[in-house]
Amino acid sequence: MRTKVTSLRTIRFLKALVASTILTLPCITITPSVVAQAVAKENVEFEADQLTYDSETGEIRALGSVILMRNGYILKAGEVRYNENTGRAEAIGAVELTSPDGDTIFAPKVLLENELKDAVIEDIKLLLEDGARVYANSGQRDGENGITTLDRAVYSPCKICNDSEGKPQDPFWQIKAVKVVHNRGKKRLYYKNATLEILGVPVLWTPYFSHPDPTVDRASGFLPLEIRTSNNLGVVAGLPYYHTIDKSQDFTITPIITTREGLVLSGEYRHKLSYGEYTVDGSITYTDERDVNNNLTGDNEFRGHISSAGQFNHAGPWRSTYQLNFASDDTYLRRYGFSRADTLTSEYNIEGFFDRSYISGRTLVFQELRNEVSPGLTPLALPLIEAEFIPKYKPFGGAVKIRWNALSITRTAGLDTQRISLSGNWQRRWISNQGFVFDLDGLVRSDAYNIDNEVAPDNPFFAGTFGSGEGGTDFRNVARLTGTLSYPLVKQSSNGFHTLEPIIQVTLSPSDSTPNNIVNEDSRAFELNDLNLFSSERAAGFDLFDESSRVTVGLRWQYDGKDIQSDILVGQSFRADGEDTFFNEGAGLEGEFSDIVGRTNIKYKDWLEVDHRYRLNDKSLAVRRNDINVLIGSRKTGFEAGYLRLDRDLNFTNPNLTGAVENRQDREELRLGLYYQIDENWRFTGTAIEDLTTGSNGVEYEAGISYIDECIEIGLQIRETFTEDRDIEPGTSILFRFKLLNLG
């Protein structure tokens, strides 16, 4: 039985009581099974099976399962001797000393001084909070300054395994040092005369080395070395160095060595402010100059890039964001592996939020990296202004939204466009007692256009037809009233809920409201699909307006069960006047009847999902769009497959337009992805993109395998590309990544 004595005064009272009874005994024993608390300046709890006190020496001796606790420090031992006169304590026998942050020291004997803050230990074994281990011949701990010094120490975060005979093997890697100093104030481990061993073999020696301790989230130091091969650059090796300036700033600088192109220097700077944050990164190299045919000219040139992004909160309701992207030439980013982008966007946007109103002003600058696009035809949006106001007043119970939009697009050697749009929108929903849902949406809008340099459009398919060759001014007034009626029918079964919802939508809008002079700048990628089939405004931009009256019908079925969820939609539009519209060529809205569009989404538990989106010709039911994605798997193992086929059946009377239509070319591709967790440590991933349009080689193949445990991370990735563009050649690249964990 163990009893608890609550304070040092109680212990002294017991000592005095026994001393007054047996004055002739210099040493007394408090039994049976005493648990006591003692203090120097603050309480220290002793817990033991037996406690003795020597009145002559002032020594308290605790025996049997001793536990000593002070300010979060816990000492366990077979025996503890404490002298209240000197303040020294000695722990003997399977000693464990645990600090408040979780580090634990194991030793046969520990000497504690300075109110138990300082320690001297021999044959020490230290288990850190993250599982790393430290062994040393001896060690001293200065608790006042938070410094632990170890002599002849070995550090490793790796687990120790035994061989077939039960003998412990060397860890995968370890650091041996003559002296190791752990400074808790600076949160770093310092090594003197350190040697790095991998599988017991010395591979690196350094007179001085340091790294952050496990409690540090971010600290200056080298990041993992990355080595890869490239068909364009040869062997590429980069060693990043990360540096923290203060709590709000840091940067990373990476010298990259290539065997074919020399040195590349890249870096990134990050800064958090009280009112926002921003980052800046870039790279630069001085290398051999090449012409457009990828031939060396004999000269050298600077190549590089710069990128930046940020967000700032200003006074009142104002906020601004920006991004900056610039490359020295078209192929630099892809050749050196920084990005695969074929267009770079730079933007500044300032926004204001005023209760129910909103205003923004944007500037957009594009850098086109595709060889077939002339830089002089690349648009610049200077500016794009948008304002939106929603009054509290609700006429006829509906919500009103007033919107104003202004856009100016400039090309250095091409068509320029200026547009101003003002619109008013009214919306209201009714739900009857029988369950019918009726939405009414009305719109009136006026657009004013000014076109300059009409003779040099970037794409004739989307250009206006002023005819003068110099452009001019034109206006467009549009109106639309859309009513949507749906009747959701819900039925509960034993396993879930079924919802069958027939939908009919009627849109009334005047025909021929768009003059032929109007250009299409912001809606070129429009295509009828399941997402915009029942949208009042089908096009995302302003330039394309789906005019004339139409009727749209569809049927939606949803099922929500315990294991299975499904969402199926199919629908079609009928145009009342049956006229073709020039902007919708190949988009699925030609003629009286639109193409049939639909989607099928099925989920089974948490390991299967099938998503199918399609568009069928209204007469022949030929597939114009077929997009299927299948995902099978769990968190550890999975397989993903995707198939896309676009067959828009475009037939232009002007042969010059064939092949020049953005986002309208036929395409067929197959996408495959696999990830497999082989065991606790090994993981395999693989992807493939196969271009089936022409039957030529695929776009890209990639496979990788990685290993990670408590002390190392190793990765090997192989990529095969078939893209060829000026100085970018197809080929095979290999990426190797090796990281020693817990070293920064």
PDB file of all heavy atoms in Angstrom, residues 555-579:
ATOM      1  N   LEU A 555     -34.297  15.719 -68.216  1.00  0.00           N
ATOM      2  CA  LEU A 555     -34.740  14.822 -67.148  1.00  0.00           C
ATOM      3  C   LEU A 555     -33.532  14.497 -66.282  1.00  0.00           C
ATOM      4  O   LEU A 555     -32.467  14.118 -66.791  1.00  0.00           O
ATOM      5  CB  LEU A 555     -35.335  13.546 -67.728  1.00  0.00           C
ATOM      6  CG  LEU A 555     -35.934  12.556 -66.711  1.00  0.00           C
ATOM      7  CD1 LEU A 555     -37.150  13.174 -66.021  1.00  0.00           C
ATOM      8  CD2 LEU A 555     -36.309  11.253 -67.405  1.00  0.00           C
ATOM      9  N   ARG A 556     -33.713  14.657 -64.972  1.00  0.00           N
ATOM     10  CA  ARG A 556     -32.632  14.381 -64.023  1.00  0.00           C
ATOM     11  C   ARG A 556     -33.092  13.348 -63.007  1.00  0.00           C
ATOM     12  O   ARG A 556     -34.206  13.451 -62.465  1.00  0.00           O
ATOM     13  CB  ARG A 556     -32.211  15.670 -63.305  1.00  0.00           C
ATOM     14  CG  ARG A 556     -31.020  15.503 -62.371  1.00  0.00           C
ATOM     15  CD  ARG A 556     -30.654  16.821 -61.716  1.00  0.00           C
ATOM     16  NE  ARG A 556     -29.431  16.703 -60.930  1.00  0.00           N
ATOM     17  CZ  ARG A 556     -28.912  17.678 -60.184  1.00  0.00           C
ATOM     18  NH1 ARG A 556     -29.525  18.866 -60.148  1.00  0.00           N
ATOM     19  NH2 ARG A 556     -27.804  17.492 -59.504  1.00  0.00           N
ATOM     20  N   TRP A 557     -32.234  12.362 -62.782  1.00  0.00           N
ATOM     21  CA  TRP A 557     -32.531  11.326 -61.781  1.00  0.00           C
ATOM     22  C   TRP A 557     -31.361  11.234 -60.818  1.00  0.00           C
ATOM     23  O   TRP A 557     -30.199  11.124 -61.217  1.00  0.00           O
ATOM     24  CB  TRP A 557     -32.767   9.972 -62.442  1.00  0.00           C
ATOM     25  CG  TRP A 557     -32.948   8.861 -61.432  1.00  0.00           C
ATOM     26  CD1 TRP A 557     -34.005   8.692 -60.597  1.00  0.00           C
ATOM     27  CD2 TRP A 557     -32.039   7.789 -61.155  1.00  0.00           C
ATOM     28  NE1 TRP A 557     -33.834   7.581 -59.805  1.00  0.00           N
ATOM     29  CE2 TRP A 557     -32.619   7.005 -60.130  1.00  0.00           C
ATOM     30  CE3 TRP A 557     -30.798   7.415 -61.667  1.00  0.00           C
ATOM     31  CZ2 TRP A 557     -31.996   5.879 -59.613  1.00  0.00           C
ATOM     32  CZ3 TRP A 557     -30.171   6.287 -61.147  1.00  0.00           C
ATOM     33  CH2 TRP A 557     -30.772   5.522 -60.131  1.00  0.00           C
ATOM     34  N   GLN A 558     -31.684  11.316 -59.542  1.00  0.00           N
ATOM     35  CA  GLN A 558     -30.678  11.209 -58.498  1.00  0.00           C
ATOM     36  C   GLN A 558     -31.066  10.107 -57.524  1.00  0.00           C
ATOM     37  O   GLN A 558     -32.250   9.916 -57.215  1.00  0.00           O
ATOM     38  CB  GLN A 558     -30.532  12.532 -57.734  1.00  0.00           C
ATOM     39  CG  GLN A 558     -29.989  13.683 -58.555  1.00  0.00           C
ATOM     40  CD  GLN A 558     -29.983  14.977 -57.769  1.00  0.00           C
ATOM     41  OE1 GLN A 558     -31.019  15.621 -57.584  1.00  0.00           O
ATOM     42  NE2 GLN A 558     -28.809  15.373 -57.295  1.00  0.00           N
ATOM     43  N   TYR A 559     -30.038   9.403 -57.049  1.00  0.00           N
ATOM     44  CA  TYR A 559     -30.262   8.375 -56.035  1.00  0.00           C
ATOM     45  C   TYR A 559     -29.221   8.544 -54.942  1.00  0.00           C
ATOM     46  O   TYR A 559     -28.019   8.655 -55.208  1.00  0.00           O
ATOM     47  CB  TYR A 559     -30.156   6.975 -56.637  1.00  0.00           C
ATOM     48  CG  TYR A 559     -30.263   5.873 -55.599  1.00  0.00           C
ATOM     49  CD1 TYR A 559     -31.482   5.597 -54.988  1.00  0.00           C
ATOM     50  CD2 TYR A 559     -29.143   5.134 -55.224  1.00  0.00           C
ATOM     51  CE1 TYR A 559     -31.587   4.604 -54.040  1.00  0.00           C
ATOM     52  CE2 TYR A 559     -29.238   4.132 -54.275  1.00  0.00           C
ATOM     53  CZ  TYR A 559     -30.458   3.875 -53.675  1.00  0.00           C
ATOM     54  OH  TYR A 559     -30.561   2.891 -52.726  1.00  0.00           O
ATOM     55  N   ASP A 560     -29.680   8.580 -53.716  1.00  0.00           N
ATOM     56  CA  ASP A 560     -28.799   8.734 -52.567  1.00  0.00           C
ATOM     57  C   ASP A 560     -29.046   7.571 -51.616  1.00  0.00           C
ATOM     58  O   ASP A 560     -30.018   7.563 -50.862  1.00  0.00           O
ATOM     59  CB  ASP A 560     -29.067  10.070 -51.873  1.00  0.00           C
ATOM     60  CG  ASP A 560     -28.033  10.383 -50.804  1.00  0.00           C
ATOM     61  OD1 ASP A 560     -27.095   9.580 -50.647  1.00  0.00           O
ATOM     62  OD2 ASP A 560     -28.154  11.416 -50.127  1.00  0.00           O
ATOM     63  N   GLY A 561     -28.188   6.562 -51.715  1.00  0.00           N
ATOM     64  CA  GLY A 561     -28.331   5.383 -50.881  1.00  0.00           C
ATOM     65  C   GLY A 561     -27.193   5.251 -49.893  1.00  0.00           C
ATOM     66  O   GLY A 561     -26.286   6.090 -49.813  1.00  0.00           O
ATOM     67  N   LYS A 562     -27.212   4.175 -49.155  1.00  0.00           N
ATOM     68  CA  LYS A 562     -26.192   3.953 -48.139  1.00  0.00           C
ATOM     69  C   LYS A 562     -24.821   3.774 -48.766  1.00  0.00           C
ATOM     70  O   LYS A 562     -23.829   4.316 -48.282  1.00  0.00           O
ATOM     71  CB  LYS A 562     -26.564   2.732 -47.305  1.00  0.00           C
ATOM     72  CG  LYS A 562     -25.546   2.398 -46.222  1.00  0.00           C
ATOM     73  CD  LYS A 562     -25.972   1.178 -45.430  1.00  0.00           C
ATOM     74  CE  LYS A 562     -24.935   0.838 -44.358  1.00  0.00           C
ATOM     75  NZ  LYS A 562     -25.318  -0.374 -43.580  1.00  0.00           N
ATOM     76  N   ASP A 563     -24.752   3.006 -49.845  1.00  0.00           N
ATOM     77  CA  ASP A 563     -23.470   2.713 -50.484  1.00  0.00           C
ATOM     78  C   ASP A 563     -23.331   3.342 -51.861  1.00  0.00           C
ATOM     79  O   ASP A 563     -22.209   3.536 -52.343  1.00  0.00           O
ATOM     80  CB  ASP A 563     -23.275   1.192 -50.617  1.00  0.00           C
ATOM     81  CG  ASP A 563     -23.214   0.502 -49.269  1.00  0.00           C
ATOM     82  OD1 ASP A 563     -22.712   1.116 -48.311  1.00  0.00           O
ATOM     83  OD2 ASP A 563     -23.681  -0.651 -49.161  1.00  0.00           O
ATOM     84  N   ILE A 564     -24.443   3.656 -52.513  1.00  0.00           N
ATOM     85  CA  ILE A 564     -24.404   4.138 -53.890  1.00  0.00           C
ATOM     86  C   ILE A 564     -25.059   5.504 -53.985  1.00  0.00           C
ATOM     87  O   ILE A 564     -26.121   5.739 -53.401  1.00  0.00           O
ATOM     88  CB  ILE A 564     -25.119   3.153 -54.843  1.00  0.00           C
ATOM     89  CG1 ILE A 564     -24.445   1.784 -54.795  1.00  0.00           C
ATOM     90  CG2 ILE A 564     -25.107   3.678 -56.270  1.00  0.00           C
ATOM     91  CD1 ILE A 564     -25.133   0.746 -55.653  1.00  0.00           C
ATOM     92  N   GLN A 565     -24.416   6.415 -54.722  1.00  0.00           N
ATOM     93  CA  GLN A 565     -25.006   7.703 -55.082  1.00  0.00           C
ATOM     94  C   GLN A 565     -24.878   7.871 -56.594  1.00  0.00           C
ATOM     95  O   GLN A 565     -23.852   7.509 -57.175  1.00  0.00           O
ATOM     96  CB  GLN A 565     -24.296   8.865 -54.381  1.00  0.00           C
ATOM     97  CG  GLN A 565     -24.474   8.911 -52.873  1.00  0.00           C
ATOM     98  CD  GLN A 565     -23.497   8.016 -52.141  1.00  0.00           C
ATOM     99  OE1 GLN A 565     -22.340   7.932 -52.519  1.00  0.00           O
ATOM    100  NE2 GLN A 565     -23.965   7.337 -51.104  1.00  0.00           N
ATOM    101  N   SER A 566     -25.926   8.392 -57.198  1.00  0.00           N
ATOM    102  CA  SER A 566     -25.895   8.584 -58.647  1.00  0.00           C
ATOM    103  C   SER A 566     -26.568   9.900 -59.008  1.00  0.00           C
ATOM    104  O   SER A 566     -27.438  10.394 -58.284  1.00  0.00           O
ATOM    105  CB  SER A 566     -26.597   7.428 -59.366  1.00  0.00           C
ATOM    106  OG  SER A 566     -27.968   7.393 -59.047  1.00  0.00           O
ATOM    107  N   ASP A 567     -26.134  10.474 -60.149  1.00  0.00           N
ATOM    108  CA  ASP A 567     -26.690  11.724 -60.664  1.00  0.00           C
ATOM    109  C   ASP A 567     -26.655  11.627 -62.182  1.00  0.00           C
ATOM    110  O   ASP A 567     -25.577  11.627 -62.780  1.00  0.00           O
ATOM    111  CB  ASP A 567     -25.881  12.918 -60.169  1.00  0.00           C
ATOM    112  CG  ASP A 567     -26.504  14.250 -60.565  1.00  0.00           C
ATOM    113  OD1 ASP A 567     -27.537  14.237 -61.263  1.00  0.00           O
ATOM    114  OD2 ASP A 567     -25.945  15.298 -60.195  1.00  0.00           O
ATOM    115  N   ILE A 568     -27.833  11.536 -62.797  1.00  0.00           N
ATOM    116  CA  ILE A 568     -27.935  11.347 -64.247  1.00  0.00           C
ATOM    117  C   ILE A 568     -28.797  12.463 -64.825  1.00  0.00           C
ATOM    118  O   ILE A 568     -29.890  12.739 -64.322  1.00  0.00           O
ATOM    119  CB  ILE A 568     -28.538   9.969 -64.588  1.00  0.00           C
ATOM    120  CG1 ILE A 568     -27.628   8.856 -64.046  1.00  0.00           C
ATOM    121  CG2 ILE A 568     -28.724   9.812 -66.093  1.00  0.00           C
ATOM    122  CD1 ILE A 568     -28.212   7.466 -64.212  1.00  0.00           C
ATOM    123  N   LEU A 569     -28.297  13.115 -65.891  1.00  0.00           N
ATOM    124  CA  LEU A 569     -29.013  14.204 -66.535  1.00  0.00           C
ATOM    125  C   LEU A 569     -28.889  14.062 -68.043  1.00  0.00           C
ATOM    126  O   LEU A 569     -27.813  13.746 -68.562  1.00  0.00           O
ATOM    127  CB  LEU A 569     -28.439  15.560 -66.098  1.00  0.00           C
ATOM    128  CG  LEU A 569     -28.955  16.792 -66.841  1.00  0.00           C
ATOM    129  CD1 LEU A 569     -30.413  17.068 -66.480  1.00  0.00           C
ATOM    130  CD2 LEU A 569     -28.090  18.014 -66.535  1.00  0.00           C
ATOM    131  N   VAL A 570     -29.985  14.303 -68.754  1.00  0.00           N
ATOM    132  CA  VAL A 570     -29.966  14.330 -70.212  1.00  0.00           C
ATOM    133  C   VAL A 570     -30.933  15.421 -70.662  1.00  0.00           C
ATOM    134  O   VAL A 570     -31.986  15.631 -70.033  1.00  0.00           O
ATOM    135  CB  VAL A 570     -30.350  12.954 -70.811  1.00  0.00           C
ATOM    136  CG1 VAL A 570     -31.766  12.559 -70.419  1.00  0.00           C
ATOM    137  CG2 VAL A 570     -30.173  12.945 -72.321  1.00  0.00           C
ATOM    138  N   GLY A 571     -30.574  16.159 -71.724  1.00  0.00           N
ATOM    139  CA  GLY A 571     -31.438  17.247 -72.171  1.00  0.00           C
ATOM    140  C   GLY A 571     -31.076  17.742 -73.560  1.00  0.00           C
ATOM    141  O   GLY A 571     -30.043  17.382 -74.135  1.00  0.00           O
ATOM    142  N   GLN A 572     -31.961  18.611 -74.097  1.00  0.00           N
ATOM    143  CA  GLN A 572     -31.793  19.139 -75.446  1.00  0.00           C
ATOM    144  C   GLN A 572     -32.561  20.450 -75.566  1.00  0.00           C
ATOM    145  O   GLN A 572     -33.563  20.667 -74.869  1.00  0.00           O
ATOM    146  CB  GLN A 572     -32.305  18.134 -76.478  1.00  0.00           C
ATOM    147  CG  GLN A 572     -32.071  18.518 -77.925  1.00  0.00           C
ATOM    148  CD  GLN A 572     -32.610  17.483 -78.889  1.00  0.00           C
ATOM    149  OE1 GLN A 572     -33.563  16.758 -78.571  1.00  0.00           O
ATOM    150  NE2 GLN A 572     -32.009  17.393 -80.080  1.00  0.00           N
ATOM    151  N   SER A 573     -32.089  21.324 -76.470  1.00  0.00           N
ATOM    152  CA  SER A 573     -32.747  22.603 -76.730  1.00  0.00           C
ATOM    153  C   SER A 573     -33.347  22.616 -78.135  1.00  0.00           C
ATOM    154  O   SER A 573     -32.832  21.973 -79.059  1.00  0.00           O
ATOM    155  CB  SER A 573     -31.744  23.758 -76.601  1.00  0.00           C
ATOM    156  OG  SER A 573     -31.525  24.089 -75.254  1.00  0.00           O
ATOM    157  N   PHE A 574     -34.444  23.385 -78.249  1.00  0.00           N
ATOM    158  CA  PHE A 574     -35.088  23.605 -79.548  1.00  0.00           C
ATOM    159  C   PHE A 574     -35.135  25.111 -79.788  1.00  0.00           C
ATOM    160  O   PHE A 574     -35.663  25.871 -78.973  1.00  0.00           O
ATOM    161  CB  PHE A 574     -36.504  23.023 -79.560  1.00  0.00           C
ATOM    162  CG  PHE A 574     -37.320  23.442 -80.742  1.00  0.00           C
ATOM    163  CD1 PHE A 574     -37.110  22.871 -81.991  1.00  0.00           C
ATOM    164  CD2 PHE A 574     -38.304  24.417 -80.612  1.00  0.00           C
ATOM    165  CE1 PHE A 574     -37.867  23.268 -83.086  1.00  0.00           C
ATOM    166  CE2 PHE A 574     -39.052  24.820 -81.698  1.00  0.00           C
ATOM    167  CZ  PHE A 574     -38.837  24.242 -82.941  1.00  0.00           C
ATOM    168  N   ARG A 575     -34.569  25.561 -80.922  1.00  0.00           N
ATOM    169  CA  ARG A 575     -34.541  26.978 -81.248  1.00  0.00           C
ATOM    170  C   ARG A 575     -35.757  27.313 -82.094  1.00  0.00           C
ATOM    171  O   ARG A 575     -35.992  26.694 -83.139  1.00  0.00           O
ATOM    172  CB  ARG A 575     -33.251  27.320 -81.986  1.00  0.00           C
ATOM    173  CG  ARG A 575     -33.000  28.827 -82.105  1.00  0.00           C
ATOM    174  CD  ARG A 575     -31.667  29.078 -82.810  1.00  0.00           C
ATOM    175  NE  ARG A 575     -30.572  28.464 -82.074  1.00  0.00           N
ATOM    176  CZ  ARG A 575     -29.962  29.034 -81.033  1.00  0.00           C
ATOM    177  NH1 ARG A 575     -30.367  30.221 -80.614  1.00  0.00           N
ATOM    178  NH2 ARG A 575     -28.979  28.426 -80.422  1.00  0.00           N
ATOM    179  N   ALA A 576     -36.507  28.326 -81.669  1.00  0.00           N
ATOM    180  CA  ALA A 576     -37.793  28.610 -82.308  1.00  0.00           C
ATOM    181  C   ALA A 576     -37.637  29.070 -83.750  1.00  0.00           C
ATOM    182  O   ALA A 576     -38.395  28.654 -84.636  1.00  0.00           O
ATOM    183  CB  ALA A 576     -38.553  29.664 -81.496  1.00  0.00           C
ATOM    184  N   ASP A 577     -36.638  29.949 -84.039  1.00  0.00           N
ATOM    185  CA  ASP A 577     -36.526  30.465 -85.399  1.00  0.00           C
ATOM    186  C   ASP A 577     -35.646  29.591 -86.285  1.00  0.00           C
ATOM    187  O   ASP A 577     -35.574  29.785 -87.490  1.00  0.00           O
ATOM    188  CB  ASP A 577     -35.989  31.898 -85.381  1.00  0.00           C
ATOM    189  CG  ASP A 577     -34.657  32.000 -84.637  1.00  0.00           C
ATOM    190  OD1 ASP A 577     -34.008  30.955 -84.433  1.00  0.00           O
ATOM    191  OD2 ASP A 577     -34.276  33.115 -84.267  1.00  0.00           O
ATOM    192  N   GLY A 578     -34.947  28.615 -85.690  1.00  0.00           N
ATOM    193  CA  GLY A 578     -34.179  27.666 -86.474  1.00  0.00           C
ATOM    194  C   GLY A 578     -32.982  28.224 -87.187  1.00  0.00           C
ATOM    195  O   GLY A 578     -32.441  27.591 -88.092  1.00  0.00           O
ATOM    196  N   GLU A 579     -32.521  29.400 -86.843  1.00  0.00           N
ATOM    197  CA  GLU A 579     -31.401  30.005 -87.541  1.00  0.00           C
ATOM    198  C   GLU A 579     -30.076  29.588 -86.902  1.00  0.00           C
ATOM    199  O   GLU A 579     -29.968  29.430 -85.690  1.00  0.00           O
ATOM    200  CB  GLU A 579     -31.521  31.530 -87.519  1.00  0.00           C
ATOM    201  CG  GLU A 579     -32.691  32.068 -88.326  1.00  0.00           C
ATOM    202  CD  GLU A 579     -32.696  33.583 -88.360  1.00  0.00           C
ATOM    203  OE1 GLU A 579     -31.787  34.170 -87.733  1.00  0.00           O
ATOM    204  OE2 GLU A 579     -33.587  34.163 -88.995  1.00  0.00           O
TER     205      GLU A 579
END
